[in-house]
Every structure is written in structure tokens, then in C-alpha cells.
């Protein structure tokens, strides 16, 4: 791919702006040599304004999403994209979230510009579990685990029962719930169906991928080994 197109696709600016940046010597190799429009340099050896280039196409990011942020590029208020560099919104292909977390849910959120990888994660065939830590308004009654695991639980206004879900009780108002599907506000609606209310909700893991070393509001680029943990 030509250097100008590569930089534009990474969101650094328009092709015209990138031509100007190259002419001004802002794009160099690691040795500090200014490049030309037709230069051929490996992605990892490129610098823009003395900084390494953003990850190439096929990137997967893991964010520890804080409360109060919406998984959208256009809604009003604070958006998860506000926590990323501005140019990430301009990447081509688009950097999309893999699934969503509502405004009042925190925790593990994936982004990618790799459509094949996105569909692999959300495909029912992959059966990737999502694990949620839940703080409840009232003490658990004791029968919730059996109800959630039955495969017969119905949510209001739906006609298909939920897949079996695993509930691990931490104490009377704290639990960990593992789901293999992602219906609208599913965790909150499940507990509402058994007469309780979710006060706090955090997604702590996607498959075998947890939030190790990712502080709230921050993100990291996943290595191949970390991506593989999703499917473990």
C-alpha cells in the first residue's frame, strides 16, 4: 500500500494532508530518514512526528470501560471513542466495538477493524462466554442459580427461553454470572425476573480474556496470544 494511503487509512488525515506531511519531513523511518510518497518501509519501522505508527489493519483493542460512556460514535454525551486517540475514529476500515455495554455497565469491551475476527467472537459457533460481576439491591433468595441454569427462563416480551447461565454466588448481594448470549440488558432483566435489582454491573472477562493490567478508562492493543485467550 502506498504510504499516503496507509497514513490516511490509519486516520492521520486526508491523503492531501498526508502528502504535505511527507513533504514536510514528518514521516520518517526509525533512523530518522525522511521518506517520500513512494517510499517502501515496513509498518513497524515507520514514525509519524517521531512517534511509532498506530497498529496496522487487523488490530484488536481491549478497553476497561468506565461507567457513563456510551458505545457509539454519534450519540450525545460521553462516548467510548472519547477514550481513544481522535484519529482512531477516522480509521478505514472502521474501528468497531465487538458488542456493546450500556452506559451504566463497566468493564471489558473489545474493538477491532477486522470484520472476520468480529464475527468469530460473536458467532454462536464460537460459544464465547461473557462473565459479569453483579452487585444486587437485595439479598439472593437461593433459587436463582437453578432458575438461570435451567434453560427454560423466559424474559418479559420474548418468546424464546434463555440459554443456561452459570451463577456463582460470592455473598448474599454479590454474584458472578456467565452468559453465552447477549440479549438486550440481559443481566438486569434476568435479576428483575426473580425479584431483584442490579445496582452495579461490570463485565470482568470475555472468554478467557480478563482485564489484567488494564486500568479503568484505559486500553491496550492485544497480542496474538491475548486474542487467543478469548476462545480458551
Amino acid at each position: 500500500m502506498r504510504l499516503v494511503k496507509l497514513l490516511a487509512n490509519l486516520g492521520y488525515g486526508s491523503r492531501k494532508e498526508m502528502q504535505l506531511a511527507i513533504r514536510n519531513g514528518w514521516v520518517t523511518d526509525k533512523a530518522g530518514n525522511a521518506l517520500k510518497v513512494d517510499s517502501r518501509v515496513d509498518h513497524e519501522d515507520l514514525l509519524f512526528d517521531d512517534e511509532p505508527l498506530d497498529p496496522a489493519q487487523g488490530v484488536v483493542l481491549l478497553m476497561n470501560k468506565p461507567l457513563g460512556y456510551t458505545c457509539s460514535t454519534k450519540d450525545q454525551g460521553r462516548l467510548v471513542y472519547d477514550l481513544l486517540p481522535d484519529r482512531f475514529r477516522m480509521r478505514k476500515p472502521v474501528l468497531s466495538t465487538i458488542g456493546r455495554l450500556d452506559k451504566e455497565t463497566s468493564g471489558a469491551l473489545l474493538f477491532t477493524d477486522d470484520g472476520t475476527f468480529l464475527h468469530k467472537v460473536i458467532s454462536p459457533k464460537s460459544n464465547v462466554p461473557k462473565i459479569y460481576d453483579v452487585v444486587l439491591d437485595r439479598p439472593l433468595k437461593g433459587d436463582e442459580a437453578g432458575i438461570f441454569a435451567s434453560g427454560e427462563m423466559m424474559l418479559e416480551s420474548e418468546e424464546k427461553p434463555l440459554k443456561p447461565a452459570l451463577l456463582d454466588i460470592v455473598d448474599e448481594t454479590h454474584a458472578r454470572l456467565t452468559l453465552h448470549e447477549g440479549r438486550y440488558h440481559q443481566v438486569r432483566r434476568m435479576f428483575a425476573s426473580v425479584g431483584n435489582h442490579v445496582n452495579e454491573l461490570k463485565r470482568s472477562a470475555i472468554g478467557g480474556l480478563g482485564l489484567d493490567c488494564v486500568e479503568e478508562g484505559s486500553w491496550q492493543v492485544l497480542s496474538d496470544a491475548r486474542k487467543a485467550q478469548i476462545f480458551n
Side-chain angles (χ1 to χ4, degrees):
M1 185 182 299
R2 295 183 70 239
L3 186 55
V4 169
K5 183 178 180 181
L6 170 65
L7 296 170
N9 284 357
L10 290 176
Y12 284 93
S14 67
R15 294 193 187 190
K16 185 175 181 179
E17 289 170 335
M18 292 304 94
Q19 287 177 338
L20 181 60
I22 293 168
R23 292 194 188 103
N24 286 340
W26 299 343
V27 184
T28 67
D29 60 20
K30 284 188 174 180
N33 300 309
L35 301 178
K36 298 180 179 179
V37 172
D38 57 355
S39 295
R40 299 284 182 178
V41 181
D42 291 338
H43 189 106
E44 59 271 18
D45 292 328
L46 285 166
L47 301 178
F48 189 96
D49 201 16
D50 296 326
E51 295 291 334
L53 282 195
D54 293 335
Q57 182 181 342
V59 66
V60 180
L61 308 179
L62 172 64
M63 175 183 287
N64 188 346
K65 175 190 171 297
L67 295 175
Y69 286 81
T70 303
C71 294
S72 171
T73 58
K74 298 179 181 178
D75 288 355
Q76 298 296 317
R78 294 183 295 178
L79 309 177
V80 291
Y81 289 92
D82 296 338
L83 300 170
L84 299 171
D86 287 344
R87 60 184 175 271
F88 276 35
R89 299 193 200 200
M90 307 303 294
R91 286 177 67 110
K92 298 178 184 178
V94 174
L95 187 67
S96 302
T97 61
I98 302 179
R100 297 167 67 90
L101 292 177
D102 66 50
K103 190 175 182 180
E104 302 308 319
T105 302
S106 63
L109 179 66
L110 294 172
F111 296 75
T112 189
D113 58 5
D114 183 341
T116 300
F117 184 85
L118 185 153
H119 289 295
K120 182 179 179 182
V121 174
I122 66 175
S123 171
K125 292 181 179 179
S126 296
N127 200 34
V128 174
K130 283 83 173 178
I131 302 172
Y132 295 85
D133 293 327
V134 187
V135 179
L136 298 163
D137 186 54
R138 292 179 287 281
L140 291 157
K141 294 180 288 186
D143 60 352
E144 294 89 352
I147 295 171
F148 291 174
S150 68
E152 299 176 355
M153 186 177 189
M154 298 287 294
L155 294 178
E156 185 178 352
S157 77
E158 295 197 9
E159 299 179 353
K160 184 178 179 181
L162 297 175
K163 292 181 178 180
L166 175 64
L167 182 68
D168 291 314
I169 298 173
V170 178
D171 60 39
E172 62 179 11
T173 57
H174 294 76
R176 175 164 285 189
L177 183 63
T178 302
L179 303 181
H180 289 86
E181 57 186 333
R183 303 196 196 183
Y184 180 71
H185 288 174
Q186 182 174 341
V187 176
R188 300 179 190 279
R189 294 167 69 199
M190 288 174 70
F191 281 102
S193 293
V194 294
N196 214 324
H197 176 76
V198 174
N199 284 340
E200 298 177 24
L201 184 60
K202 179 175 183 176
R203 185 158 68 190
S204 54
I206 301 172
L209 179 70
L211 286 166
D212 311 347
C213 304
V214 185
E215 296 182 359
E216 187 174 277
S218 64
W219 53 276
Q220 66 176 209
V221 177
L222 294 185
S223 65
D224 288 342
R226 289 278 277 162
K227 287 189 284 186
Q229 290 178 0
I230 296 169
F231 306 102
N232 291 340

